[in-house]
Amino acid sequence: MPAHVSILQLTGVAVLALATVAWVLGLTRILRRSLVEPTVWHTAHPLHGLPTQRDTAPHLESVALTPAEQDAFAGLVRQLSDGR
């Protein structure tokens, strides 16, 4: 044991090392379980704070343009394609 290191410092390092090993082992166990049984875990632990996802895509919105708006849009596209 080095002379300039107190027993509390050595104990603290040992505790942190043990906590790190326990955390890594727990994380490995959780990840392995989620890969082996993904449907069992997800159905047993739903996330109640998140809204459910819809199976269908949202409806697309469209607006009918007047002929004047169509002409203005065509002019804008021409300007942008010319690089002005």
Side-chain angles (χ1 to χ4, degrees), residues 5-83:
V5 178
S6 71
I7 191 73
L8 289 176
Q9 288 175 329
L10 288 175
T11 305
V13 169
V15 168
L16 287 175
L18 286 174
T20 301
V21 169
W23 179 79
V24 168
L25 290 175
L27 183 63
T28 304
R29 183 176 177 215
I30 289 171
L31 289 176
R32 282 186 181 172
R33 185 185 310 165
S34 68
L35 290 176
V36 173
E37 304 168 0
T39 56
V40 173
W41 188 86
H42 291 296
T43 57
H45 300 88
L47 300 174
H48 296 293
L50 298 176
T52 58
Q53 293 184 353
R54 295 182 281 179
D55 291 334
T56 60
H59 298 289
L60 296 176
E61 296 181 8
S62 63
V63 177
L65 298 177
T66 63
E69 291 172 332
Q70 290 177 352
D71 291 340
F73 184 73
L76 178 64
V77 170
R78 278 193 298 274
Q79 285 180 355
L80 293 175
S81 65
D82 291 342

